[in-house]
Amino acid sequence: MSELRVLPLTTDHDTAPFWAAAAEERLVVQHCDDCDLPIHLPRGVCPRCHGERTSWRDVRGAGRLHSWTVVEHQVHPGHPTPYTAVLVELEDLPSVRLLGSLPGRHDLEVDQPMSLRFERVGDTTLPQWEPVPS
């Protein structure tokens, strides 16, 4: 079924470094080298100081659940339902939130600790999140 998955474009100019790091099982976030702002979603110019010098910095794979929804209606054959879409706030950078998905339905709570895992789908590595066991 993995050949049916909708996968990100990993060669996009703005996001390629994110996907290259994920292939090495590292999580990175873009930062402005002039004002130190974490830039998410990645782009060529800092939204605060308009600087064009950016770099990618490693962050820990730990976060807290900000929000989630259970998807019940299948819209693509590569994403069987139900699955739970999660929005995770990074512990290192609370202003940065990343998406992920868990197969099935889950009993979740706001602020629940989440940990990073990497899912390989063909030639692409996807950062995913799972609840930290209590």
Side-chain angles (χ1 to χ4, degrees):
M1 171 130 16
S2 64
E3 64 276 355
L4 296 176
R5 291 279 297 270
V6 177
L7 297 174
L9 176 65
T10 60
T11 57
D12 175 77
H13 179 268
D14 290 331
T15 61
F18 177 87
W19 298 112
E24 298 172 354
E25 297 194 357
R26 294 183 306 115
L27 184 63
V28 296
V29 172
Q30 185 184 36
H31 283 74
C32 176
D33 291 338
D34 295 322
C35 73
D36 204 38
L37 179 74
I39 303 172
H40 187 72
L41 298 168
R43 61 199 84 165
V45 176
C46 175
R48 178 167 51 196
C49 75
H50 307 290
E52 296 180 11
R53 296 180 327 113
T54 65
S55 57
W56 291 83
R57 301 179 193 170
D58 287 279
V59 294
R60 290 182 317 120
R64 299 223 165 251
L65 186 62
H66 179 78
S67 184
W68 73 96
T69 189
V70 176
V71 179
E72 301 281 354
H73 176 74
Q74 187 171 10
V75 295
H76 189 278
H79 296 280
T81 54
Y83 65 91
T84 303
V86 295
L87 183 61
V88 175
E89 180 178 283
L90 297 182
E91 283 188 4
D92 290 352
L93 301 169
S95 66
V96 175
R97 295 178 184 151
L98 299 174
L99 291 169
S101 67
L102 299 164
R105 295 174 191 87
H106 293 268
D107 185 23
L108 301 172
E109 296 179 13
V110 170
D111 289 330
Q112 182 172 357
M114 303 290 282
S115 64
L116 179 68
R117 68 178 171 80
F118 290 94
E119 177 186 6
R120 293 202 186 273
V121 181
D123 293 336
T124 303
T125 303
L126 303 173
Q128 296 285 15
W129 297 94
E130 56 192 17
V132 172
S134 33

